[in-house]
Amino acid sequence: MRSVTEDRTTRARIRDAAIRRFARDGMSASLRAIAADAGVSAGLIVHHFGSRAGLRQACDDHVLTQIRDAKSSVLVGPSAPSALLAQIAQVEGYAPLVGYAIRALQAGGSLADRFIDHFVDDLKTYLRAAEEAGNIRPSRDPEGRAELLSEMAIGAMMFRFSRLGPDIDLDDLPRWLRETTDRISLPALELYTEPLLTDSSLLDTYLAAHGSGHGGGGAAARDDAAAADKESHQL
């Protein structure tokens, strides 16, 4: 009789093989190919996951969890800077996850919609935690900010990948991911840590035109954070 630990190990091995195969061949990859990669039978995949949809759900959950944990470690807690450097140093290891995410988005339909919804919900969660930790500024519209950041991240990833062509070479993807990370890290960090605009006149004009629709507690919190930040730079 198989032990619970053995079953969990086998399940994880199948899931990881599926993530790599889906990333390589797309979401139409066969269970037979995944089973061969994992060194199991197609029947054992059904035993562990119930169906192809169950396997896809497990892959989605794992990839999204890895993304959430990686982002949270950078945005939340006192070790955020060292976590960022660690992630940059080992970015090649994220290649299968990136490949899977790209394929999930390319596939479209309800499964892609669900993947995006979960991505956005996770982002809202760790942005909220980062706000509470004092590592990012409060927003007048936290929901809107999370959605915009999600659209920017997903759009940028798909744009960069489109320049590679229709195929994903998992052997070459780590190199591409390293080159991309090296190219965007500085401008991205600069954009998120230093204001792009030299004054707040555009924001002030927008808020004045839209009245209190984007004010409330979020505005007060953001104004307090801005004042504190300005004062710290004067010390």
Side-chain angles (χ1 to χ4, degrees), residues 38-49:
V40 301
S41 68
L44 194 59
I45 294 180
V46 175
H47 167 73
H48 278 286
F49 298 96

Side-chain angles (χ1 to χ4, degrees), residues 191-210:
L191 182 65
Y192 287 126
T193 59
E194 298 177 352
L196 177 64
L197 302 176
T198 58
D199 63 61
S200 63
S201 58
L202 291 179
L203 176 60
D204 296 339
T205 300
Y206 177 86
L207 291 174
H210 288 76

Side-chain angles (χ1 to χ4, degrees), residues 24 57 59 94 103 110 209-210 226:
R24 189 183 301 275
Q57 178 69 61
C59 291
Y94 291 100
R103 290 303 196 190
S110 60
H210 288 76

Side-chain angles (χ1 to χ4, degrees), residues 80-154:
S82 60
L84 171 65
L85 293 178
Q87 286 185 29
I88 291 176
Q90 60 185 15
V91 68
E92 292 90 345
Y94 291 100
L97 305 182
V98 172
Y100 180 90
I102 290 170
R103 290 303 196 190
L105 297 170
Q106 285 179 329
S110 60
L111 292 179
D113 290 343
R114 184 186 67 195
F115 187 88
I116 292 172
D117 288 343
H118 287 183
F119 183 92
V120 175
D121 287 343
D122 284 346
L123 178 59
K124 291 176 181 177
T125 298
Y126 58 73
L127 284 179
R128 189 180 308 116
E131 269 194 33
E132 293 171 355
N135 290 340
I136 66 171
R137 299 178 186 278
S139 171
R140 295 174 176 82
D141 182 5
E143 299 283 315
R145 178 172 66 178
E147 291 173 5
L148 176 61
L149 288 173
S150 298
E151 292 165 1
M152 291 168 61
I154 292 171

Side-chain angles (χ1 to χ4, degrees), residues 61-76 83 87 94 122 126:
D61 290 345
H62 181 71
V63 169
L64 288 166
T65 296
Q66 295 299 306
I67 293 172
R68 179 176 64 246
D69 290 348
K71 296 291 187 181
S72 296
S73 67
V74 170
L75 291 175
V76 181
Q87 286 185 29
Y94 291 100
D122 284 346
Y126 58 73

Side-chain angles (χ1 to χ4, degrees), residues 19 66 178:
I19 288 172
Q66 295 299 306
R178 162 58 57 196

